[in-house]
Amino acid sequence: MNEMLRVAVCDDDAVANGVTVGAVSGILEKHGLQSELYTYRTAGELDAAMSRTAFDLILLDIDLPDLSGIEFCSRLRAEKNAVPVIFVSGHLDSVFSTFRCEPIGFVRKTMFLQDLSECIGIFLERRSDVGAGTKTLTVISNKRTLMLAIDSIVYIEGALKKQ
């Protein structure tokens, strides 16, 4: 196990965050991957964290107190942030509204483990397709998460604490 995935889980319910973290961690371990999981209770907290941390995957509830998960993801896409998102919600009537955000999938809370395992499998397939034979570097640039092919990087410039 050598690759470390950074995963953000955002749900206003602390118990749901804990259950999701445990399940995601277990699924990734079964695939031989290590992970760092971070939990947030609002879209604002997640947004602030994204300026400091490049996440490989976000699991996002739809019903959040400050901004809906769909609105938050729509803002990410408007900023050209392509970080993979999986929606986790009991609001089945919102499934079609998530499509404009191009999520990996939608995890129904009533079918949590089955849907989560399937969505993470899709995420891992897409991730390996993107990097098939190519090593990538995940970076944050202007609050956007980008995956760059290492072979395409000519140089990295450093200034103070920024690269």
Side-chain angles (χ1 to χ4, degrees), residues 3-144:
E3 186 176 8
M4 180 69 70
L5 294 176
R6 289 186 193 93
V7 180
V9 177
C10 186
D11 194 313
D12 60 325
D13 182 340
V15 173
N17 268 342
V19 169
T20 303
V21 163
V24 169
S25 179
I27 292 167
L28 291 174
E29 282 179 17
K30 285 182 183 176
H31 287 277
L33 299 167
Q34 293 180 331
S35 57
E36 292 177 351
L37 289 108
Y38 304 82
T39 60
Y40 305 96
R41 304 277 300 271
T42 67
E45 289 177 6
L46 175 57
D47 188 45
M50 290 180 72
S51 65
R52 300 181 306 273
T53 305
F55 293 109
D56 298 297
L57 176 65
I58 296 175
L59 285 94
L60 188 58
D61 188 16
I62 289 176
D63 190 20
L64 296 170
D66 56 344
L67 185 68
S68 83
I70 295 171
E71 290 171 322
F72 178 74
C73 191
S74 293
R75 287 183 184 183
L76 291 177
R77 300 304 184 240
E79 296 169 357
K80 305 294 186 220
N81 190 327
V83 63
V85 172
I86 296 173
F87 285 103
V88 180
S89 183
H91 295 282
L92 301 182
D93 55 329
S94 298
V95 171
F96 294 106
S97 300
T98 67
F99 289 173
R100 69 177 176 264
C101 301
E102 299 178 14
I104 296 285
F106 190 99
V107 174
R108 300 166 289 180
K109 288 189 176 179
T110 56
M111 300 289 290
F112 180 74
L113 289 175
Q114 177 183 338
D115 288 353
L116 183 64
S117 183
E118 183 177 316
C119 287
I120 290 179
I122 292 168
F123 161 72
L124 294 174
E125 283 175 19
R126 288 185 185 176
R127 186 171 173 80
S128 66
D129 287 346
V130 167
T134 305
K135 301 249 184 212
T136 59
L137 176 67
T138 305
V139 297
I140 298 174
S141 176
N142 296 327
K143 291 183 73 176
R144 296 185 326 183

Side-chain angles (χ1 to χ4, degrees), residues 2 33 63 148 160:
N2 55 3
L33 299 167
D63 190 20
L148 304 173
L160 300 175

